[in-house]
Structures are given as C-alpha cells and as structure tokens.
Amino acid sequence: MTLQEAGQTLEQGSRELALAGAALLLAGLALTPICVTFARRFAPKGQVFFARWRFLHAALVAAVLALAMQFVPGLLGSIGGFGRLPEGLRALIGSASGLGLSGALILVLAARLDPDGITSLGLRPRDSLRAAAVAVGCYVLLLPGLFGLTLLWPWLLERIGGSFEPQKIALGIESLDGGARAAAALFAIAVLPFFEELVFRGFLQPLLVQNLGDRGGVFLASLIFATLHGDSAFLPIFGLALLLGSLKLRTQRLSAPFAVHALHNAIAFFMLGVSPGS
C-alpha cells in the first residue's frame, strides 16, 4: 500500500466515524425534548438565585486559578516523593490542587457576601439526591448525542483548519496501573468534577445568568469551560457543559451537575482502559 492509499484509507475511516457521530448527535437532539419533559416533571424547581458577588470577584478567582495552575505543580514537585509519582497522576493532583485553591476562595467569598453562605453556591442538602438522580436520567437520555459529538469533532476540527491531538492528561492516565490507577480514578471521578462544578456552575454561572439571562449565562459559562479544555476536546466538552449548566439552572443544586460530571468522567476513565480493578 502506498502512502497516498494509506492516507485515503485513514480519511475514509475518519469520515465514517464522523458520519456515525452525526447520526448519534441527531438521535441525541431528537431525545432532547423528552429529557426536558423528564426534568420538568421530576426535578425540583430551584428558587431564582441572586448572586451577591460581582465580576471583580470573578476576576480575582480567575487570577488565583491561573496562578495556581501555573505554579502549584512546580511547588508540589519540590516536595519529596511527589516527583517520583507517575506523570499522569501528578497532572491530576496538580490540577486538583489549583482548582482547590480557587474553590477555597469561592467558599470564603460566598460565606462573606451572601446571607445564605456557601449554600448559595448550590450546596443545599434538601432535594440534592433527587436532583442528582434526575440529572443522571437526563444524561443517559442524551448520552448518544454526547458520544456523537466525540466522534464527529476530530473530523470537523480538521475541516476547519485545526489539528486533533489526544489530551496529554489522557495519555498519562493510560500508562497508570495498580495504586496509581486507583488514585487517578479518585481524582478524575470525584475530586476534579467537584471543584470544576463549584467554580463554573456554582460560582461563575449564576453571575453570568444574572447579567445575560438564563440562556446567555449558561452558554457563556459553557463556552469558557470548553475553551479551557483545549481545541481537541472543545465541542464534546461544550455539549456536556450545556447539559451541566442547564441542570444547575433547573435545580439550583450543585449535586445535579456534579453527579453527571462524575459519571461522565467515570465512563471516560473506563474507556481509556484504566478503570480500577481492570
């Protein structure tokens, strides 16, 4: 087989995956009205929330997050033993530590600025389990569409001039085994989703919704979230983020997007072939 023939074969395979992804995406879109009806029927309708923090506070959180993601991994590397951990696990711990610092600042701001304290971020125990259960149901209904975006995006990205590359953190996770694998699962499935939901759906989205309306706020928060994950993951993450934001808006409970985010990461972790116990 010549190089030209090999290239044509790869292109054909990419096109077939994209067509399958498009078909799954259409199926997901067809199921969206059912998901909306299901959520309205069973999800507790959250009370309209007025964010007490402002864009200046959001800018402060963003600055802390940027600095933490830049310098925390290096600081952790100076700790004895941390440098000997596998690269994939170090990356997860570094990301969790940076997001954790931002999350701690958000908790402090909410406690100081809002009469309801940290519960204003969606950390409300009442109806949280119900909200999480409904959110998982919606996710299952829309899973074909989300998977379709994953198949479609690499081909589409290349058509618009981009270059698809697997995320470095995913490549690092693939090489883990044993105790490092279990630790990575904990960070990827529980720790990181919680902090990301606290920052983006608990803190940022209410501020944007208050200023841009429901749809505008959810859209912009999702766009920022997806952009920070890089070009290669943009469209699948954007689709997921729209679902997470809509669930948070509906329920006003952080448990709803967190449950979906954790389940989504668990599925992705399993698909990488590194689920605990495998």
Side-chain angles (χ1 to χ4, degrees):
M1 179 182 293
T2 66
L3 289 177
Q4 182 178 3
E5 290 172 336
Q8 291 174 347
T9 301
L10 290 174
E11 175 64 23
Q12 180 65 27
S14 176
R15 187 182 302 113
E16 290 176 354
L17 285 176
L19 288 173
L24 288 170
L25 176 59
L26 290 175
L29 292 175
L31 290 170
T32 299
I34 300 176
C35 176
V36 172
T37 301
F38 174 75
R40 289 177 176 173
R41 173 65 179 84
F42 296 104
K45 175 61 176 172
Q47 184 178 1
V48 176
F49 171 68
F50 180 81
R52 304 283 179 167
W53 44 88
R54 297 292 181 264
F55 284 107
L56 179 62
H57 301 111
L60 176 61
V61 170
V64 169
L65 177 60
L67 290 173
M69 298 301 286
Q70 178 70 27
F71 295 108
V72 165
L75 292 175
L76 290 175
S78 64
I79 299 175
F82 183 82
R84 293 192 294 272
L85 294 176
E87 183 179 355
L89 183 57
R90 292 203 310 269
L92 285 170
I93 294 175
S95 296
S97 300
L99 284 164
L101 288 175
S102 299
L105 175 58
I106 287 171
L107 293 174
V108 171
L109 289 173
R112 288 178 174 271
L113 297 173
D114 197 285
D116 291 336
I118 64 172
T119 60
S120 63
L121 297 164
L123 298 171
R124 304 176 186 274
R126 183 179 179 182
D127 288 328
S128 286
L129 289 178
R130 182 182 175 188
V134 172
V136 169
C138 289
Y139 174 74
V140 171
L141 282 171
L142 298 181
L143 188 56
L146 294 172
F147 185 60
L149 287 176
T150 301
L151 295 179
L152 177 61
W153 180 236
W155 180 87
L156 186 59
L157 179 62
E158 292 180 356
R159 300 288 81 73
I160 61 177
S163 177
F164 180 82
E165 297 179 1
Q167 291 183 297
K168 291 182 179 180
I169 195 167
L171 294 176
I173 290 175
E174 283 184 321
S175 63
L176 298 177
D177 56 15
R181 177 192 303 176
L186 174 64
F187 278 95
I189 297 172
V191 179
L192 279 171
F194 174 76
F195 285 135
E196 288 183 334
E197 292 311 309
L198 180 65
V199 173
F200 289 95
R201 256 63 65 177
F203 179 77
L204 178 61
Q205 181 174 294
L207 179 62
L208 295 176
V209 165
Q210 183 174 302
N211 288 273
L212 302 175
D214 291 353
R215 293 180 179 179
V218 170
F219 179 87
L220 184 54
S222 301
L223 183 64
I224 295 171
F225 184 72
T227 300
L228 292 176
H229 281 75
D231 291 346
S232 294
F234 174 78
L235 191 59
I237 294 296
F238 181 64
L240 175 66
L242 287 175
L243 174 60
L244 297 175
S246 298
L247 291 169
K248 172 59 166 58
L249 184 67
R250 171 69 189 181
T251 65
Q252 294 297 314
R253 300 293 187 276
L254 203 66
S255 62
F258 168 72
V260 170
H261 198 156
L263 178 58
H264 184 81
N265 280 16
I267 293 173
F269 199 89
F270 177 79
M271 291 180 68
L272 285 173
V274 292
S275 60
S278 64

